[in-house]
Amino acid sequence: MNPKPELIGLGRVGCVMRHGEIAVKTANKWPVPDNASEYTTILHEQTNRTNEEALIHEGRIYEHLQSVEGVLKPHHISDTEIRMPYIGHRSLDRYMSANKAIIGDEQRLAWFQNAADIISRVHGQRVIVADIATRNFLVNKDLSLQLCDFSESVIIPEDRALDEFVSEDFLSVKFDIARFGSMMYEIVSGSRYEFYVNPDIDMDLDDDESKIYKEWPTSKRFPDTSNVFLGDIIRKCWLRDGFRSMKDVEASLDWRHYPIIFLGENLWAFSR
């Protein structure tokens, strides 16, 4: 008897249903309400079409990254669905929420190293990830990570320099680095801070956890990271003149920079 499908993910573009050991992502298709106006009907149709196009785009990104270690490998990709292996621990945010009491800085550092390596490999294939967040890293049985969800990702044209390219939506390698810093900050502090830069807006929008700035923010806009684990690295991810590549971030996260002091059985601490 086939198990009943289970909704395990719902985003702006699509939803993910579990079918046994398979996870299937499809585009969100919102039904047009009864007696809807012409405007509402057109809006729903446009939204559904945009979601379908985003799923097709994501499938192409997966195909482009099929040889990259640490990127989730779909079983099958079509214009209507992406069939993927189901990962039992599910997303990193869910895993951390369920295991707060047993996750220490040693494990956090291991995740940061793993995630930075994966993103660096993705950049090596000329892809900007864009949506870097704990919800888009899946946790394997050995607690290593796999990156998924590329609906907002961008392939950098071959004739453009990686460190200079900015997409029409203002995405860049530096943007990915800043988002990685925000993911680190959320993991170590429990608080969210992320920002986008959009030169087209008239004024900064900074009333929410997710900020939109007209220009790249200065350090005065950042949360205080002086008393959080790896705070200096997080800050350099955010700073415009900080890390310029994920390779630089990787190097800063090398465990040899953070001597581990053994304090007793199953108890570890990092010297700062």
Side-chain angles (χ1 to χ4, degrees), residues 228-244:
V228 299
F229 181 53
L230 304 178
D232 288 345
I233 293 177
I234 294 170
R235 193 175 184 82
K236 287 179 182 177
C237 286
W238 289 336
L239 285 168
R240 183 170 192 168
D241 296 326
F243 296 124
R244 302 301 300 173

Side-chain angles (χ1 to χ4, degrees), residues 64-121:
H64 183 82
L65 298 174
Q66 61 183 332
S67 64
V68 177
E69 183 179 349
V71 170
L72 185 67
K73 303 296 187 292
H75 294 309
H76 178 72
I77 297 171
S78 72
D79 287 352
T80 58
E81 65 179 27
I82 300 174
R83 301 179 71 85
M84 306 166 283
Y86 172 72
I87 307 300
H89 283 321
R90 297 173 65 170
S91 61
L92 181 55
D93 59 341
R94 286 176 176 269
Y95 183 85
M96 291 191 301
S97 178
N99 296 277
K100 289 180 181 178
I102 62 173
I103 298 173
D105 285 344
E106 180 187 11
Q107 182 58 63
R108 293 186 183 96
L109 178 59
W111 279 331
F112 296 151
Q113 292 168 334
N114 191 182
D117 176 63
I118 294 170
I119 297 168
S120 180
R121 292 173 186 271

Side-chain angles (χ1 to χ4, degrees), residues 105-106 259-271:
D105 285 344
E106 180 187 11
I260 301 175
I261 304 172
F262 184 61
L263 300 178
E265 185 176 358
N266 298 324
L267 183 61
W268 300 79
F270 286 82
S271 63

